[in-house]
Amino acid sequence: MASKLSFYNTSWNDRIATRTVENIDGDEDIIYLTGINQVHSGVEIEFAGQFTENIRVDMGASLGKWIYSDDATGTYRDSDGSDASYSYALKDLRVGDMPQASLNFGLTANPIDGATVQLSARHYRLFFSDWSPTSRAYSSDDDADRAQSWRTPPYTVFDLNASYYLPVEFGGVKPQLILNIRNLFDAVYIQDAVDNSRYNAVPFRVNDHSANAAEVYLGMPTSFNLGIKVNF
């Protein structure tokens, strides 16, 4: 048996983002955001155990807290050379587009000589939909939007992988039968989302950081492939 425990705390400071805006002449100008700071902290654990000659278990789990640690500012210069400043409400908002908690499990068995079967599961949660810091501009504290982006529902997906060396031999080479099944139980889940989508949101729910204001991408349904592998 073997296990590993890790802690991390990483700062991503003074990152830069840009936003394109159209001026009154129809030309595109750019707003530069500065002072975009993130802090990623969390814990990760891994475990592997060979419980019998034919049974192996692998597990892994992680829990993180990835946030913007400060508000940001933006500077816009028009064609006349005049500067305008903007503030962006980012402090304490969760980083989007990546799950911040996960659990992975794998059970591998060798039921007969030459055969291997593995059942694996992937569980994800604390997955905040993707959003851009440029969408959180404000002019005063009263109108600052500090709500978290929409959090997608947690989900679990099972996969099955199996292989078997056929009891035949060609020139000293044994062919191997391979079977892979993705999303074994045909789970319906949201694997990605965009907060406050400008395309797919319900009109009266735009900018409220709800499911109705999000654009979602569903995970793939059950799929499989069956083949023969030969190593020369």
Side-chain angles (χ1 to χ4, degrees), residues 87-232:
S87 298
Y88 294 84
L90 308 181
K91 184 175 173 59
D92 296 330
L93 295 183
R94 292 272 190 159
V95 176
D97 201 31
M98 56 190 74
Q100 299 185 27
S102 65
L103 176 64
N104 298 283
F105 173 83
L107 176 64
T108 304
N110 303 103
I112 59 175
D113 187 36
T116 301
V117 179
Q118 182 185 62
L119 178 68
S120 61
R122 297 170 284 125
H123 177 79
Y124 299 106
R125 60 192 313 120
L126 291 182
F127 197 153
F128 294 84
S129 53
D130 192 20
W131 61 280
S132 171
T134 61
S135 66
R136 299 300 182 106
Y138 72 97
S139 57
S140 67
D141 289 337
D142 293 334
D143 63 5
D145 181 3
R146 297 189 179 277
Q148 299 288 352
S149 65
W150 179 62
R151 188 169 70 181
T152 67
Y155 66 88
T156 304
V157 177
F158 288 85
D159 299 323
L160 180 68
N161 302 289
S163 64
Y164 175 62
Y165 282 99
L166 298 175
V168 294
E169 190 171 322
F170 302 97
V173 176
K174 280 189 174 183
Q176 186 181 31
L177 187 65
I178 303 291
L179 173 65
N180 299 302
I181 304 177
R182 304 295 183 226
N183 194 0
L184 179 64
F185 300 114
D186 202 25
V188 178
Y189 62 97
I190 296 173
Q191 70 171 10
D192 207 355
V194 177
D195 190 49
N196 288 338
S197 171
R198 58 186 294 187
Y199 302 108
N200 290 339
V202 176
F204 62 87
R205 299 300 295 272
V206 173
N207 295 329
D208 70 354
H209 309 292
S210 70
N212 286 331
E215 180 177 357
V216 302
Y217 302 86
L218 297 181
M220 293 293 293
T222 299
S223 63
F224 72 92
N225 61 69
L226 178 66
I228 294 179
K229 179 181 178 181
V230 179
N231 292 322
F232 294 96

